[in-house]
């Protein structure tokens, strides 16, 4: 962040104003004190005009099951639903 900011000749205050955040937030990200929020990272990328590394994005693709294919479930289903676990509660009225 600091390299891109200095290349654009911006101060921490300028960058903070550009992304509608406090200069303190920029300082904390540059020093590594704060864990970057993905929304703020995208704001910084737009303001600085470059891609920034995103924490946690370097994970390998999802693991496959023993049969060699990924488990299929409804799109947007919760992990519990994918595992076949239903929520509790009274039975449905008919």
């Amino acid at each position: 962040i600091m390299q891109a900011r200095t290349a654009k000749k911006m101060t921490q205050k300028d960058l903070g104003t550009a992304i509608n955040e406090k200069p303190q937030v920029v300082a904390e990200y540059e020093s590594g004190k704060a864990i970057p929020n993905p929304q703020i990272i995208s704001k910084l990328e737009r303001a600085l005009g470059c891609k920034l590394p995103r924490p946690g994005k370097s994970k390998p693709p999802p693991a496959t099951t023993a049969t060699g294919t990924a488990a299929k479930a409804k799109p947007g289903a919760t992990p519990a639903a994918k595992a076949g676990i239903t929520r509790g509660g009274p039975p449905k009225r008919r």
Side-chain angles (χ1 to χ4, degrees):
I1 297 171
M2 191 183 301
Q3 289 175 345
R5 178 177 59 79
T6 51
K8 286 246 178 187
K9 294 183 171 60
M10 295 175 89
T11 64
Q12 288 180 344
K13 186 178 180 183
D14 292 339
L15 183 55
T17 306
I19 63 167
N20 292 327
E21 294 292 337
K22 294 179 181 175
Q24 182 181 350
V25 172
V26 177
E28 287 173 354
Y29 283 177
E30 286 184 358
S31 66
K33 287 181 183 170
I35 297 165
N37 175 337
Q39 288 179 314
I40 295 179
I41 290 179
S42 58
K43 283 184 188 178
L44 288 167
E45 287 175 341
R46 269 179 278 160
L48 296 170
C50 67
K51 282 281 180 196
L52 297 172
R54 300 200 178 221
K57 285 284 183 180
S58 60
K59 292 177 183 168
T64 55
T65 59
T67 59
T69 56
K72 298 280 181 208
K74 292 179 187 173
T78 61
K82 288 178 186 171
I85 301 168
T86 58
R87 295 193 344 226
K92 290 185 175 176
R93 279 173 87 189
R94 294 186 184 190

